[in-house]
Amino acid sequence: MKLLKWLSVADRFYKIYLDKQLAPFGVNSSQHMFLIKICASPGIMQDSLMDIFYVHPSNIVRTIAALEKQGMITRTPNDQDKRTWRLYPTDRALSVLEDIRTVCKKTETLLLQGFSEEEKKLLTDLLMRAGRNITASLQIERKEEEFDD
């Protein structure tokens, strides 16, 4: 139970910290990773975000709508299937992208303060294994795609 407690504590407080740091750029801890991915892959299909971030489709729709309302992204219908959307970053998103990446790196540095390089790699590897274990137990099949800030 100690592991679950500290995963929860780390998750809750890193999000609070990240929300404060990202506020000047008009995004929050729930939106930043979507924005980074869209900037890195202009024209990405909205549906593919489920396979990358392991979130429910309704969360994706809500996040994409918020980013669009904030002027960070635009959506266009997919030429091959009008029921699906392609996502593109706006100039506004591209102008704050490096600042957002810097905030993410700063937050990661804070989380891993005092860890050796070997410990950082080990923690990342172990968390990835734990994530795969829990998604497998729920029979969630997703494409594995690396997401790097």
Side-chain angles (χ1 to χ4, degrees), residues 37-54:
K37 186 63 181 174
I38 294 164
C39 287
S41 305
I44 190 170
M45 297 297 300
Q46 182 171 323
D47 295 346
S48 71
L49 297 175
M50 285 184 300
D51 298 329
I52 297 169
F53 297 116
Y54 300 88

Side-chain angles (χ1 to χ4, degrees), residues 69-124:
K69 184 177 180 182
Q70 294 161 353
M72 293 292 194
I73 65 164
T74 58
R75 294 182 310 148
T76 60
N78 179 11
D79 291 336
Q80 286 76 38
D81 183 353
K82 298 294 184 192
R83 297 170 298 172
T84 60
W85 297 93
R86 291 197 174 276
L87 307 174
Y88 296 91
T90 63
D91 289 340
R92 178 173 182 221
L94 293 171
S95 73
V96 297
L97 178 61
E98 285 311 310
D99 292 324
I100 291 170
R101 284 187 172 149
T102 298
V103 166
C104 291
K105 286 176 185 166
K106 179 181 170 187
T107 304
E108 228 178 72
T109 298
L110 182 62
L111 277 167
L112 299 174
Q113 186 175 348
F115 285 54
S116 70
E117 290 306 313
E118 184 178 314
E119 289 171 327
K120 291 174 188 178
K121 183 180 180 337
L122 181 60
L123 178 61
T124 300

Side-chain angles (χ1 to χ4, degrees), residues 15-28:
K15 286 178 181 172
I16 291 169
Y17 178 85
L18 201 53
D19 282 340
K20 288 179 183 178
Q21 300 300 309
L22 292 171
F25 310 111
V27 296
N28 64 35

